[in-house]
Amino acid sequence: MRRLSHLVAAFVVVAAGVRAATACPFCSAVSLTFAQEIAQSQAAVIARLVEPPPAAALQPRATGPLPKATFRVVKALKGSDVVEAAGLAGPDGAPIEVMMLDAKPVGSLALIFGIEPPNLVWSSPIAVSDRAVAYLEKLSGLPEKGPERLAFFLGHLEDADETLARDAYDEFAVAPYADVRAIKDRMDPAKLLAWIENPKVQANRRRLYATMLGVCGSPADAARIGAIIEGKTADGGPLPADQAEVRGGLDALIACYVALRGPEALDLVDRVFLERTGRNVPFAETYAAVMALRFIGEESDLVPRDRVLRSLRI
């Protein structure tokens, strides 16, 4: 329900634009990053909940007006002049009323965006922790683009605070692939492989981690990725049912394997995914291999073009 706000229409247009140059063809941003949302707002504030919506209004079968809550501004991340002009700043500032569709205790902090001053229209609140507030306060000091910006978010991938983990992933998903390669020496291949092998990690994030591992990994990592794409465990046995999700994001895993092994990796790709005569290979897996080969052909010089084409002709 995070996007239920008056900002939705404008944000959708922006989202379509930022996808024009993605970090990798296997990564899709879940939502706009906090930095993008702040950029598209006239005001962005950290506010404290002083009066939650009535409990009855949050029931599934509730009727009547949409539930609203009352907040007081704690800090303006952007548009402090706009917030002050509206009489909302400081301990004696007027409260703001926003639509709120979940229950939070009094005193909870939230990030809220405003547009159309002087009579600001406020978005639905996004619950944030104290750590998240510190994170948000650092965003304005980061470079607008480039490897140094991305390096900041590297430390928040799979953060214990899911809000920060989601935002860090989205920052990588919209960054140029060249920036990902530029922070190769700052990546931890062991950590990336552990995330890839964790069936609880979301498939979209696994795609990113496979893309990153393809930049910084080793031959030993390639062997493990090769086993995964064949549906095997590290010791060569079949993947158990509760581990099947580690093959989620197969296109990125195949591209990672080829990036780490070079041209010889395509022999396995041909055998497992492309040579379908007399074999029941799921079309989705063949398609994933084709997408991986397209990425290798367009974004890398690790495999000669004629070798990529030989696989595609199959």
Side-chain angles (χ1 to χ4, degrees):
M1 309 305 284
R2 175 176 164 178
R3 297 294 176 265
L4 286 180
S5 73
H6 289 79
L7 307 177
V8 168
F11 285 174
V12 167
V13 173
V14 175
V18 299
R19 292 300 300 153
T22 97
C24 76
F26 314 115
C27 308
S28 297
V30 174
S31 56
L32 289 179
T33 66
F34 283 134
Q36 288 170 336
E37 291 182 300
I38 291 171
Q40 292 302 306
S41 305
Q42 279 77 53
V45 302
I46 302 298
R48 192 177 304 278
L49 178 63
V50 295
E51 185 177 346
L58 298 177
Q59 297 301 313
R61 297 182 181 276
T63 59
L66 290 171
K68 292 187 177 182
T70 302
F71 287 82
R72 286 190 182 275
V73 174
V74 173
K75 177 182 179 66
L77 300 175
K78 179 182 179 181
S80 57
D81 54 338
V82 171
V83 172
E84 186 172 351
L88 306 174
D92 298 323
I96 59 177
E97 189 177 64
V98 300
M99 182 174 64
M100 185 171 175
L101 302 178
D102 54 357
K104 297 292 181 184
V106 170
S108 298
L109 295 175
L111 172 63
I112 310 176
F113 303 105
I115 60 172
E116 299 180 7
N119 299 315
L120 288 162
V121 178
W122 295 100
S123 71
S124 296
I126 302 168
V128 290
S129 64
D130 289 335
R131 279 189 67 233
V133 172
Y135 172 99
L136 290 164
E137 290 174 336
K138 294 174 182 176
L139 295 182
S140 62
L142 297 177
E144 289 187 9
K145 57 184 178 180
E148 288 306 316
R149 176 182 181 82
L150 209 54
F152 170 79
F153 299 104
L154 182 63
H156 292 283
L157 293 172
E158 295 304 309
D159 196 288
D161 186 328
E162 175 57 25
T163 301
L164 304 189
R166 190 277 309 161
D167 192 62
Y169 165 80
D170 284 339
E171 285 281 351
F172 269 83
V174 300
Y177 181 55
D179 290 352
V180 177
R181 289 184 294 185
I183 60 171
K184 169 183 176 179
D185 294 340
R186 307 190 199 192
M187 299 179 191
D188 183 344
K191 183 180 290 186
L192 293 170
L193 184 59
W195 289 338
I196 290 169
E197 292 183 308
N198 183 350
K200 295 183 179 179
V201 168
Q202 299 170 22
N204 61 334
R205 294 184 186 178
R206 184 175 294 105
R207 283 183 164 93
L208 171 63
Y209 305 148
T211 301
M212 295 169 68
L213 187 64
V215 170
C216 69
S218 67
D221 298 326
R224 182 65 195 117
I225 297 299
I228 291 173
I229 64 178
E230 286 195 86
K232 297 178 180 179
T233 61
D235 59 9
L239 279 175
D242 62 353
Q243 294 290 311
E245 289 299 319
V246 301
R247 295 182 84 232
L250 188 58
D251 45 7
L253 291 170
I254 295 171
C256 172
Y257 179 66
V258 177
L260 295 178
R261 287 292 299 273
E264 67 182 271
L266 293 187
D267 295 340
L268 181 147
V269 176
D270 293 349
R271 173 172 56 82
V272 176
F273 302 107
L274 302 181
E275 294 170 353
R276 298 162 56 89
T277 303
R279 301 172 57 234
N280 183 24
V281 181
F283 176 74
E285 295 191 1
T286 298
Y287 185 76
V290 171
M291 291 298 98
L293 290 172
R294 177 177 177 177
F295 170 68
I296 292 295
E298 292 180 348
E299 298 289 347
S300 169
D301 57 3
L302 295 175
V303 179
R305 185 176 182 84
D306 61 350
R307 180 61 188 90
V308 176
L309 293 176
R310 193 196 320 164
S311 289
L312 287 172
R313 287 191 187 101
I314 298 173

